[in-house]
Amino acid sequence: MTHHAPSQPLTIEARGPLVGRIAVPGDKSISHRSLMLSALAVGESRIEGLLEGEDVLATAAALRAMGATIVKEPAVAGGGGRAMGTAAPRGEDAVWRVHGVGVGGLMQPAQALDMGNSGTSTRLLMGLVASHPITATFTGDASLSGRPMGRVIEPLARMGADITASPGSEGKGGRLPLMLRGLCPAVPIEYTLPVASAQVKSAILLAGLNTPGVTRVIEPVATRDHSERMLAGFGATITVEDSPAGKVIAIHGEAELKPQHIVVPGDPSSAAFWLVAASVVPGSDVVVANVGLNPTRTGLIAALRMMGADIVELDPRVVGGEPVADLRVRHAPLSAIEVPPDLAPSMIDEYPALFVAAAFAAGRTVARGAHELRVKESDRIAAMAAALGACGVPLEEHEDGMTVTGSSGEAIPGGATIASLLDHRIAMSMTVAGLHARRPVTIDDVAPVATSYPTFFTSLDALTGRAA
Ligand code: S3P
């Protein structure tokens, strides 16, 4: 039962400058993990700053279906009860309380688990179920049902899970809907990641939590490390060592997790849209408060700075074990760059926004080595090439990226209707492109924005002086 919000077309006319201060909602990756680990701790965890996007709510619903109690407590007027380090205005002041079932305590869900649009929910929860004596069916929307699950099926099957993917999808690497029968006790493995994927790494580590012995993941290319940080924070025995083959991450199984008070920092992947918008719309001066700056996530900031962006970090601090700062970004002329391919893992979700920045830079920006973009919520290379191309931006699509010829700061032609393809980041990126276009840009459906950034358009209105 996957619900489809009705299509929500939106036409963006040029506007600006963007001026003011906004806070971005909680980090999506950290929000998923905070719910999952809290659901496995014994006792009550509290989560502040949780992203209340559809993807994270899908994770919450699935964990409830497997026995966890998850309740949202509305914010106390006046902001009382805030945890340390959250003095900045926050989008979400509510506290979420989670009563966990203990590692190994997940229960048989009565119905299929509806993952909606969320790859992170699907792949991480598959890991959790894999080492529990339960069977779960995972379903999702049209976008998610086209995404490769073989990358998690393969290691989880080695640990003993029995997985039946959608008939006919085997040759394509396995697709939803799929049924996963966990094995308890599962078999610990040592697994070298064939693709740089934090979701695959996390699925194996989460399966390892309830597996006797030591489960090891070897990561030749570093990806976001929120799972490792949070597992350690919950009291699991986890070690990370460098080796010639890459990072070796070892989790000791049959762990007991202790409940925590978690403060989720703001999502750098959501901040990305404001960093690009303020950089390209003349006269802009924006402070994006509470942005998580985990070094495995800051590739876009590095790339934009190479292009000449004016981004300053204010009030650097640590929130919930993650580095955080407020980012002040002012309009600046951007120059084309060759995006270093080794930045790819730390900006993998930010390429659509980077392609928009490139559309306004002086010269030809070349981004290669980002093949994974083709298996995100949409094929983001094809989607952005089609969308920017329709808006009159000269570009060349490559198998693993794109070359974009920018406008040297001028407005792009615009005047097109583009397809967001059930992909939130395409919808938000093209909204930003439309802010500095000669003719309006219509997005056929902005409903997917609610998966990761439900307040995106409210913040856009606030920054452009159109607050209700
Ligand atoms: C995520 C990992 C990345 C990223 C996704 C969130 C995570 O996916 O694109 O938005 O939370 O672990 P991959 O693991 O497929 O690279």
Side-chain angles (χ1 to χ4, degrees):
M1 175 193 63
T2 291
H3 300 284
H4 290 284
S7 279
Q8 236 175 280
L10 185 73
T11 297
I12 302 291
E13 294 184 16
R15 49 166 133 160
L18 291 85
V19 178
R21 178 184 173 96
I22 48 141
V24 276
D27 187 277
K28 182 153 73 73
S29 292
I30 297 175
S31 293
H32 284 296
R33 288 157 172 81
S34 67
L35 287 172
M36 290 181 198
L37 295 190
S38 296
L40 291 177
V42 181
E44 184 185 273
S45 291
R46 299 170 63 217
I47 309 169
E48 286 181 61
L50 187 83
L51 169 63
E52 297 178 7
E54 289 168 0
D55 282 12
V56 174
L57 298 179
T59 287
L63 292 168
R64 282 191 190 112
M66 293 190 283
T69 305
I70 303 177
V71 197
K72 176 183 175 182
E73 209 171 78
V76 182
R82 274 192 186 140
M84 283 168 62
T86 55
R90 298 187 55 90
E92 291 133 349
D93 273 335
V95 177
W96 287 70
R97 293 183 185 278
V98 181
H99 272 273
V101 294
V103 170
L106 292 180
M107 294 185 311
Q108 175 65 46
Q111 291 174 343
L113 305 177
D114 181 0
M115 303 284 94
N117 189 249
S118 178
T120 311
S121 308
T122 309
R123 297 192 178 113
L124 272 57
L125 289 169
M126 283 174 67
L128 279 186
V129 172
S131 57
H132 279 74
I134 59 178
T135 299
T137 299
F138 294 83
T139 63
D141 72 3
S143 154
L144 185 58
S145 302
R147 298 181 63 188
M149 295 300 150
R151 52 182 63 191
V152 272
I153 291 174
E154 206 248 331
L156 296 179
R158 285 201 207 180
M159 296 181 79
D162 183 11
I163 301 155
T164 309
S166 172
S169 72
E170 298 84 2
K172 293 187 271 174
R175 300 279 189 268
L176 296 193
L178 64 75
M179 194 170 79
L180 190 158
R181 179 147 50 93
L183 179 69
C184 188
V187 183
I189 58 169
E190 177 172 308
Y191 192 77
T192 300
L193 293 180
V195 276
S197 166
Q199 292 180 358
V200 178
K201 168 176 66 177
S202 302
I204 299 166
L205 294 175
L206 291 173
L209 263 184
N210 195 39
T211 300
V214 180
T215 297
R216 281 191 185 80
V217 181
I218 300 163
E219 189 179 53
V221 177
T223 64
R224 64 191 69 193
D225 63 356
H226 307 300
S227 296
E228 296 92 308
R229 286 176 189 241
M230 202 180 285
L231 281 163
F234 269 83
T237 305
I238 179 164
T239 58
V240 182
E241 280 166 16
D242 288 322
S243 82
K247 268 206 233 174
V248 182
I249 304 142
I251 179 128
H252 292 247
E254 299 181 298
E256 191 172 312
L257 301 185
K258 292 177 209 58
Q260 301 295 313
H261 177 191
I262 300 167
V263 181
V264 181
D267 198 328
S269 300
S270 296
F273 303 105
W274 309 124
L275 301 182
V276 173
S279 294
V280 304
V281 178
S284 296
D285 185 351
V286 170
V287 173
V288 190
N290 186 41
V291 184
L293 293 178
N294 179 309
T296 62
R297 299 287 299 281
T298 50
L300 178 75
I301 297 174
L304 288 174
R305 282 182 171 148
M306 285 173 69
M307 297 172 84
D310 179 359
I311 302 170
V312 180
E313 289 167 32
L314 308 171
D315 189 15
R317 53 207 187 263
V318 174
V319 174
E322 299 271 352
V324 166
D326 303 332
L327 299 180
R328 180 175 187 191
V329 52
R330 280 174 279 193
H331 171 257
L334 300 182
S335 314
I337 57 165
E338 206 163 298
V339 182
D342 61 359
L343 281 184
S346 64
M347 58 179 287
I348 195 65
D349 291 337
E350 283 64 79
Y351 278 92
L354 174 91
F355 295 145
V356 172
F360 294 97
R364 280 157 54 92
T365 293
V366 183
R368 306 292 303 251
H371 199 270
E372 273 293 300
L373 295 182
R374 294 207 179 265
V375 292
K376 295 297 179 187
E377 286 81 330
S378 67
D379 174 340
R380 287 182 173 161
I381 298 174
M384 287 305 294
L388 287 174
C391 289
V393 176
L395 54 85
E396 193 189 333
E397 182 178 337
H398 311 296
E399 186 50 27
D400 62 346
M402 210 188 300
T403 295
V404 180
T405 303
S407 65
S408 300
E410 299 300 316
I412 58 171
T417 295
I418 69 97
S420 61
L421 302 171
L422 290 176
D423 188 332
H424 53 138
R425 300 204 200 278
I426 304 301
M428 289 186 276
S429 297
M430 290 311 296
T431 297
V432 171
L435 295 177
H436 196 32
R438 290 205 292 276
R439 284 179 293 143
V441 173
T442 298
I443 296 156
D444 70 342
D445 185 14
V446 295
V449 168
T451 61
S452 70
Y453 200 164
T455 54
F456 175 77
F457 289 104
T458 315
S459 288
L460 175 62
D461 285 345
L463 290 173
T464 52
R466 299 194 183 183

